[in-house]
Amino acid sequence: MDQPHSHASEVASAERFEFGRNWKRFLRKLDEPRIRTAEQSLREMLDVQDLKGKRFLDIGCGSGLFSLAARRLGATVHSFDYDPDSVACAMYLRDRFFPGDEQWTIEEGSALDPEYLRGLGSFDVVYAWGVLHHTGSMWPALENATIPVAPGGKLFIAIYNDCGEESERWVRIKKRYCELPAPLKPVYAAAAMAPYEAREAVGSLLRGRPSAYIHSWTRYSGRRGMSRWRDIIDWVGGYPYEYASTEAMVDFFRKLGLEPVKTLPTGGLGCNELVLEKQA
């Protein structure tokens, strides 16, 4: 599949964060509780107990964690990512948990290529969590994500919330991170997050629970399963970076024949989550 720009060239020109390299470091600490958390996330948002007999497409599979969760819930899974390191992560998990499995396919691909997506066929669940706002062309990517959703199928998507000037400020921060030499990136990430971390630490003290802030690091378990530090690096470095309100996404998808069945707005800089169903 021909792409106008390669992943490597975009990283070299500071136009893209290396999400896959971050995920590789995370996989060293992947454990059973984090996998179960991912499974429960799918159950809750899709209102199912399992995915037996379903086809599951993971757009921008990242670490491969949610592809693994879907496979463990019984789905036939197809995973793809633009980042070759993310593809390697998913392959590592398949080889570790489902060696030789013919019901879990993994490959490189782009959410910006509609012909590629048409060629995949139709799926009962299309999953694109925290991915398409990093393509550099979010709205075309969102439209493309509807292509492989089967009639009556569901699209489970998460996109960073539109917080106006605050979101615009983070575009600049993330771009600067990608421009820095590698040794300076962790220092920059720590400095960028220092005000937020200080606020949380002081809040714990004022509530009389100083250990709460410490536990937010030692017992960190986000819905995506990352460690807290890897989550910070993913956030500060995550460029390209776009965003949209829940209302804007609902209006956009309705014009494409998808109706919301569940919305989970974040109310802050995090991701608005939506599950939408394609009308027959």
Side-chain angles (χ1 to χ4, degrees), residues 105-125:
T105 57
I106 305 164
E107 63 185 6
E108 286 188 40
S110 172
L112 297 179
D113 186 343
E115 293 306 315
Y116 169 71
L117 287 160
R118 288 189 185 95
L120 295 176
S122 59
F123 293 80
D124 303 289
V125 178

Side-chain angles (χ1 to χ4, degrees), residues 201-248:
V202 170
S204 295
L205 289 171
L206 293 176
R207 291 191 300 271
R209 299 177 54 203
S211 62
Y213 177 71
I214 297 172
H215 290 163
S216 72
W217 281 85
T218 60
R219 301 177 185 177
Y220 184 77
S221 181
R223 292 184 67 195
R224 293 289 291 164
M226 274 193 185
S227 68
R228 181 154 179 160
W229 177 244
R230 296 262 63 89
D231 214 357
I232 285 173
I233 294 297
D234 183 86
W235 164 249
V236 177
Y239 187 83
Y241 168 67
E242 295 179 77
Y243 39 84
S245 67
T246 298
E247 294 77 13

Side-chain angles (χ1 to χ4, degrees), residues 10 33 75 81 94 112 156 168 197-198 203 208 218 240 259 264 266:
E10 290 176 1
D81 204 293
R94 183 184 60 185
L112 297 179
F156 181 2
E168 293 175 11
E197 294 297 320
T218 60
E259 284 293 324
L264 192 62
T266 180

Side-chain angles (χ1 to χ4, degrees), residues 5-221:
H5 303 284
S6 71
H7 180 272
S9 68
E10 290 176 1
V11 170
S13 61
E15 292 298 323
R16 180 168 298 280
F17 174 67
E18 293 181 276
F19 292 96
R21 289 189 65 184
N22 200 41
W23 281 119
K24 277 186 173 181
R25 295 185 179 97
F26 154 73
L27 286 183
R28 299 170 189 166
K29 297 184 178 180
L30 180 63
D31 54 18
E32 184 62 24
R34 283 187 169 94
I35 299 171
R36 287 199 297 267
T37 296
E39 291 177 8
Q40 187 60 25
S41 172
L42 290 177
R43 288 194 188 99
E44 289 177 356
M45 287 299 288
L46 296 172
D47 287 325
V48 297
Q49 286 302 308
D50 59 57
L51 292 170
K52 293 177 182 176
K54 304 294 186 182
R55 295 194 73 209
F56 184 97
L57 176 63
D58 193 354
I59 297 177
C61 56
S63 68
L65 172 59
F66 278 76
S67 289
L68 172 62
R71 186 69 192 93
R72 293 204 342 173
L73 290 174
T76 298
V77 177
H78 184 93
S79 316
F80 76 86
D81 204 293
Y82 181 60
D83 186 330
D85 283 326
S86 290
V87 173
C89 286
M91 288 181 171
Y92 165 79
L93 288 184
R94 183 184 60 185
D95 292 345
R96 176 179 168 186
F97 292 97
F98 288 90
D101 186 20
E102 295 184 355
Q103 295 189 67
W104 183 359
T105 57
I106 305 164
E107 63 185 6
E108 286 188 40
S110 172
L112 297 179
D113 186 343
E115 293 306 315
Y116 169 71
L117 287 160
R118 288 189 185 95
L120 295 176
S122 59
F123 293 80
D124 303 289
V125 178
V126 174
Y127 180 83
W129 205 106
V131 172
L132 303 180
H133 48 226
H134 293 312
T135 59
S137 298
M138 184 181 72
W139 293 107
L142 289 171
E143 182 172 358
N144 290 346
T146 70
I147 293 171
V149 183
K154 292 179 179 178
L155 172 63
F156 181 2
I157 201 157
I159 294 293
Y160 281 127
N161 189 33
D162 184 351
C163 292
E165 291 183 2
E166 182 72 356
S167 295
E168 293 175 11
R169 186 174 75 87
W170 275 102
V171 173
R172 297 189 295 271
I173 292 172
K174 293 165 182 285
K175 173 63 173 169
R176 180 58 177 156
Y177 176 96
C178 292
E179 292 170 344
L180 288 171
L184 295 180
K185 288 180 176 179
V187 178
Y188 180 82
M193 292 301 296
Y196 300 90
E197 294 297 320
R199 190 181 310 151
E200 188 170 338
V202 170
S204 295
L205 289 171
L206 293 176
R207 291 191 300 271
R209 299 177 54 203
S211 62
Y213 177 71
I214 297 172
H215 290 163
S216 72
W217 281 85
T218 60
R219 301 177 185 177
Y220 184 77
S221 181

